[in-house]
Amino acid sequence: MLQGHVFHSFTRSDLRESGPYVLSQFVGGMPPALFLFLTGITLAFLMDSCQRKMMGAGASVAAAARRAGYLFTIALLFRFQMWLFGLPHSSARDLLKVDILNCMGLGILLMSVMAVFRTGQRVRYCAIAGVGIAAASPLVSMLDWSGAPALARMYLAPDHNYFSFFPWGAFLAFGMSVGSLIRVIQREHLDRAMQWSALLGIGLIVGSWYAANLPYSLYPSVDFWLNSPAQVFIKLGVILLGLSFAFLWTEYGREHHRGWSWVRQFGVTSLLVYWVHTELVYGRWLWFFKERLSVAQTVVAAIAVILAMLLLSVARTHRDRWVAALAGRLRFSPAPARASGD
C-alpha cells in the first residue's frame, strides 16, 4: 500500500502506462482488499461471540452497527484532517470523499443483518453475498446515476476515485464467510482447511484470469480495473493463498520468528501508519515530488516513506517504555559534583 500510494502520487504522468507503474498499482491495490477481508473476519468473530453469549438477533445486529458507527467516525475525522491541512486549496467536497474507512463503515452496516443467522449459516450466506456484490458491479456501473445524489453515487457506484461498496464490499462479505468458517471448524482440521484455501486460491487466480481474457463477456460493458468480477476473484485468490501461507508460517515457523517482526509491527499500528502516510504522500508536505519522479526515483522515495513509517510505528509502540526510561534516568541521575571552592 505504501509503495502504491507513492507511485500514484509521485510518478511522472508519461510513465503511468509502463510495466513498473502498473505492477505497483496492482500490488498496491491488494492491501485495501485485504483490509476489508480482515475486517470481515473480525466482524464474523464478533457475531459468533454474540451468539455464544446467547444475545438476541437485535442485540447482535446493534453490536455490529456500533462498529460501523465507530469506523464512520474515524473516516470523517480523517477526511476533516486532510481538508484542514489542505486549506486554502482544499474544497468542502473533500470532507465527503469515500475512502477505504467509509467503505468499511457502510459495508459493516449493510452486512450487520447477517447477525440474525447462526455462524454455520453465515459461511454460505456471506459467500453468496460476496459473489452477488462482485457480479452486480458491472451492472451497477451501467445504471444512470445522473439523477442520484452525489453521495449515494460515491458510496455505491464503481469509480476509480472512490472505494465504493460495489465491488469493494465483496471482500468484506468473503471475509465474513471465512471468519465464520474458522469459528465452526475444529482445530485439528485447520491444516486441511488451509490446504483447500491454497488450492481454491490458485484455482480462482488461474480461472479468473482466463475468464477475463476471453473474447466475449456476460456483460455489455466491463472495466477490468474498475468493476470486473474477475479482478475481485483474482484478488480473493491471492488473499486465500496468502492466508494459507500465513497459517503455515505461524503454525510451523513460530520458533524461527519469536523476536521482533516488522509485519506485526506495521499491523499493530496500521491505522496510524495509514493516516500519517496518506497526509505525507498526498498532502502539501512533499508537493515538489508530485508527478515529477522517474521510476527509479519513485522507488527510492517509496523506500524512504516505508522506513519513515516503520520508525513512526516503532516510536508509537515503544513510546511509553521510552518515556518511562527517560523519566527514570532523570529522576535518579546523580547531582553534578560541586567545585572544591564552593
Side-chain angles (χ1 to χ4, degrees):
M1 178 187 67
L2 296 175
Q3 64 80 30
H5 286 169
V6 171
F7 266 85
H8 184 262
S9 180
F10 295 164
T11 306
R12 295 202 318 258
S13 57
D14 61 304
L15 298 174
R16 296 187 176 237
E17 299 296 330
S18 63
Y21 180 83
V22 173
L23 178 61
S24 78
Q25 295 311 287
F26 179 79
V27 175
M30 283 304 303
L34 183 58
F35 289 163
L36 286 160
F37 187 85
L38 294 176
T39 299
I41 288 180
T42 59
L43 183 61
F45 287 175
L46 172 65
M47 292 181 179
D48 180 74
S49 177
C50 292
Q51 177 183 311
R52 294 174 186 271
K53 294 177 181 178
M54 306 298 290
M55 294 173 57
S60 299
V61 171
R66 283 194 295 271
R67 181 167 295 185
Y70 167 77
L71 284 171
F72 271 126
T73 302
I74 296 296
L76 291 175
L77 290 174
F78 173 72
R79 296 312 315 170
F80 177 77
Q81 178 265 316
M82 292 288 288
W83 169 81
L84 183 64
F85 280 36
L87 290 174
H89 304 291
S90 56
S91 168
R93 289 178 58 87
D94 296 339
L95 294 170
L96 301 178
K97 183 177 180 180
V98 178
D99 214 326
I100 182 66
L101 295 174
N102 304 75
C103 183
M104 286 181 181
L106 177 62
I108 291 176
L109 186 63
L110 295 178
M111 296 298 293
S112 63
V113 297
M114 289 293 177
V116 303
F117 302 108
R118 300 190 64 80
T119 301
Q121 295 174 310
R122 281 194 295 273
V123 176
R124 298 188 300 274
Y125 295 156
C126 291
I128 293 172
V131 172
I133 295 169
S137 295
L139 302 177
V140 174
S141 290
M142 295 168 57
L143 295 176
D144 183 9
W145 290 91
S146 58
L151 197 60
R153 184 171 65 252
M154 289 188 292
Y155 269 98
L156 298 176
D159 191 301
H160 288 293
N161 298 314
Y162 308 112
F163 284 92
S164 55
F165 182 75
F166 294 94
W168 290 101
F171 297 107
L172 179 73
F174 288 132
M176 291 180 65
S177 177
V178 171
S180 300
L181 181 62
I182 292 174
R183 284 301 198 187
V184 299
I185 198 170
Q186 296 182 4
R187 180 67 180 80
E188 58 269 21
H189 295 157
L190 271 179
D191 289 56
R192 181 61 58 86
M194 292 300 106
Q195 293 174 17
W196 280 108
S197 174
L199 291 174
L200 179 59
I202 295 173
L204 283 172
I205 294 170
V206 175
S208 299
W209 180 255
Y210 175 79
N213 287 279
L214 290 175
Y216 50 85
S217 173
L218 296 174
Y219 303 96
S221 176
V222 63
D223 183 339
F224 179 81
W225 295 107
L226 176 63
N227 53 26
S228 172
Q231 187 202 176
V232 172
F233 292 128
I234 289 174
K235 289 183 176 180
L236 176 62
V238 174
I239 291 173
L240 291 177
L241 192 59
L243 182 67
S244 63
F245 278 108
F247 172 81
L248 183 67
W249 175 256
T250 303
E251 188 71 9
Y252 299 106
R254 186 176 303 169
E255 64 274 11
H256 301 299
H257 65 280
R258 289 185 181 276
W260 180 79
S261 166
W262 64 270
V263 177
R264 185 180 297 109
Q265 182 64 51
F266 271 128
V268 297
T269 57
S270 57
L271 181 58
L272 174 66
V273 169
Y274 176 79
W275 197 312
V276 173
H277 98 273
T278 302
E279 171 62 31
L280 183 66
V281 171
Y282 289 108
R284 64 175 62 181
W285 306 97
L286 300 176
W287 61 269
F288 41 84
F289 286 157
K290 301 294 181 65
E291 299 186 8
R292 296 184 180 182
L293 302 186
S294 66
V295 170
Q297 291 170 331
T298 308
V299 169
V300 174
I303 294 174
V305 169
I306 291 171
L307 292 178
M309 292 303 100
L310 183 59
L311 180 61
L312 173 67
S313 175
V314 172
R316 172 63 184 87
T317 55
H318 292 76
R319 180 192 60 188
D320 294 341
R321 185 186 308 173
W322 291 348
V323 170
L326 179 60
R329 180 172 298 181
L330 293 176
R331 184 181 303 117
F332 297 108
S333 58
R338 293 178 176 269
S340 58
D342 291 347

